[in-house]
């Protein structure tokens, strides 16, 4: 069961890459990793990027990573796992019931 204080998972390799990116680019602490979706239905894709939280956002501390999720996207991203491979970040969403 997911706790709302951990709506997504950040795998260790992704956490390290995120922290390295923050340090290398001197990104201010007010920023976080935005997790969301773009589009809808069969044409939806994952949205990952560094951003500042806005009034419609929820902010979470997941594995020491500040994660920003728009309240409208929360239901769609619950349970997602953010990873990192040599080609870039990955997002896996377990099927319902897993």
């Amino acid at each position: 069961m997911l706790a709302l204080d951990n709506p997504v998972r950040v795998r260790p390799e992704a956490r390290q890459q995120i922290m390295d990116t923050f340090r290398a680019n001197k990104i201010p602490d007010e920023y976080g990793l935005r997790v969301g979706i773009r589009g809808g239905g069969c044409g939806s894709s994952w949205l990952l990027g560094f951003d500042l939280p806005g009034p419609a956002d929820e902010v979470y501390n997941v594995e020491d990573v500040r994660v920003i999720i728009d309240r409208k996207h929360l239901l769609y991203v619950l349970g997602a796992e953010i990873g990192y491979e040599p080609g870039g970040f990955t997002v896996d969403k377990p099927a319902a019931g897993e």
Side-chain angles (χ1 to χ4, degrees), residues 3-10 15 19 58-69:
L4 205 47
D5 47 339
N6 272 332
V8 298
R9 274 192 64 221
V10 178
R15 179 190 176 284
M19 302 307 257
E58 295 290 335
V59 180
Y60 303 91
N61 182 344
V62 180
E63 304 293 329
D64 292 328
V65 173
R66 188 172 197 208
V67 174
I68 303 167
I69 303 173

Side-chain angles (χ1 to χ4, degrees), residues 16-30:
Q16 187 62 52
Q17 189 66 31
I18 292 164
M19 302 307 257
D20 289 349
T21 300
F22 266 85
R23 277 191 292 276
N25 294 293
K26 298 181 176 143
I27 298 172
D29 291 340
E30 298 82 37

Side-chain angles (χ1 to χ4, degrees), residues 26-97:
K26 298 181 176 143
I27 298 172
D29 291 340
E30 298 82 37
Y31 281 74
L33 178 70
R34 179 169 297 280
V35 179
I37 56 166
R38 184 178 304 143
C42 295
S44 65
S45 61
W46 288 98
L47 170 68
L48 290 177
F50 299 106
D51 200 2
L52 287 168
D57 294 325
E58 295 290 335
V59 180
Y60 303 91
N61 182 344
V62 180
E63 304 293 329
D64 292 328
V65 173
R66 188 172 197 208
V67 174
I68 303 167
I69 303 173
D70 185 309
R71 286 183 194 101
K72 294 181 286 188
H73 294 205
L74 191 55
L75 180 63
Y76 302 103
V77 303
L78 280 174
E81 294 181 356
I82 300 161
Y84 185 81
E85 297 175 351
F89 288 97
T90 63
V91 180
D92 294 319
K93 177 100 163 108

